[in-house]
Amino acid sequence: MAIATELVVTDQGPLSEESSGKPYGEIIRDYEALPGTQWRFGKPNYARVNKAYFQGREKIHPEGSLESVVNKLVKNWEVESHHIADPKQW
């Protein structure tokens, strides 16, 4: 969940490495916005969410397994559906 002070509409561009999960050694969100994509409240930051996810998860699905693919698909869909201002850019 974003803190109000983190919502900066002028902060546009690609997601950070922390938002992808890369610092934890596993890419769980690989969403790449198209050039010119407008974020609804500014670029989302998933650093705290990912930290809690990696600390609390109990199951690590093998890379490429159905569970892993669905997990990434849902996380990427959440980025589009909640954070992209124009549905035509989904």
Side-chain angles (χ1 to χ4, degrees):
M1 177 186 257
I3 296 174
T5 58
E6 294 178 349
L7 301 176
V8 181
V9 177
T10 57
D11 187 10
Q12 302 291 316
L15 295 178
S16 66
E17 287 189 354
E18 291 83 10
S19 289
S20 72
K22 191 172 183 177
Y24 298 95
E26 181 182 351
I27 303 296
I28 58 168
R29 192 178 287 103
D30 61 359
Y31 186 79
E32 292 186 24
L34 297 173
T37 296
Q38 292 296 307
W39 298 107
R40 182 173 285 136
F41 305 110
K43 180 175 57 178
N45 182 348
Y46 290 97
R48 283 193 313 280
V49 171
N50 287 350
K51 182 178 180 182
Y53 172 77
F54 283 108
Q55 288 176 344
R57 73 177 174 172
E58 297 177 5
K59 176 76 173 166
I60 299 174
H61 301 293
E63 184 65 32
S65 68
L66 179 60
E67 294 88 348
S68 175
V69 171
V70 169
N71 189 29
K72 193 178 290 184
L73 176 78
V74 169
K75 287 181 181 1
N76 286 332
W77 173 81
E78 189 274 336
V79 172
E80 286 186 332
S81 65
H82 290 100
H83 297 286
I84 294 186
D86 184 359
K88 294 176 186 170
Q89 294 180 324
W90 291 9

